[in-house]
Amino acid sequence: MFAVKANRQYKISEDEKQKYIDRGYKIATLEKGKLVFEKVETPESKEIDKLKVEVKRLETELEKAKGEGK
């Protein structure tokens, strides 16, 4: 397991994972010679997901309104 931030990469143990996440590091594992990053749930990422759903809903509503106007 690796912690990555600002082009620096540190090999860490499972016990150290949360400490590095709290410091803003991205956590990755090595799979087939490539780093694969974990998706970390933060309040910001949860808010972004909610906003993406809202944007989709509003786009659908806009397209429906455009269709009714013709």
Side-chain angles (χ1 to χ4, degrees), residues 2 5-6 9-10 20 24 27-30 32 37-40 49 57 59-61 63 66 70:
F2 296 91
K5 182 177 178 182
Q9 174 177 310
Y10 303 99
Y20 280 93
I27 304 301
T29 56
L30 194 60
K32 297 181 183 177
F37 290 92
E38 295 181 0
K39 180 169 171 107
V40 178
D49 290 340
R57 186 187 68 77
E59 286 174 344
T60 304
E61 192 176 309
E63 288 300 317
K66 284 183 181 178
K70 292 184 177 180

Side-chain angles (χ1 to χ4, degrees), residues 32-61:
K32 297 181 183 177
K34 294 185 178 184
L35 286 177
V36 178
F37 290 92
E38 295 181 0
K39 180 169 171 107
V40 178
E41 287 291 322
T42 62
E44 292 85 8
S45 68
K46 290 178 184 177
E47 184 66 22
I48 289 170
D49 290 340
K50 287 180 187 176
L51 292 172
K52 285 180 180 178
V53 169
E54 180 67 11
V55 166
K56 286 262 192 220
R57 186 187 68 77
L58 291 173
E59 286 174 344
T60 304
E61 192 176 309

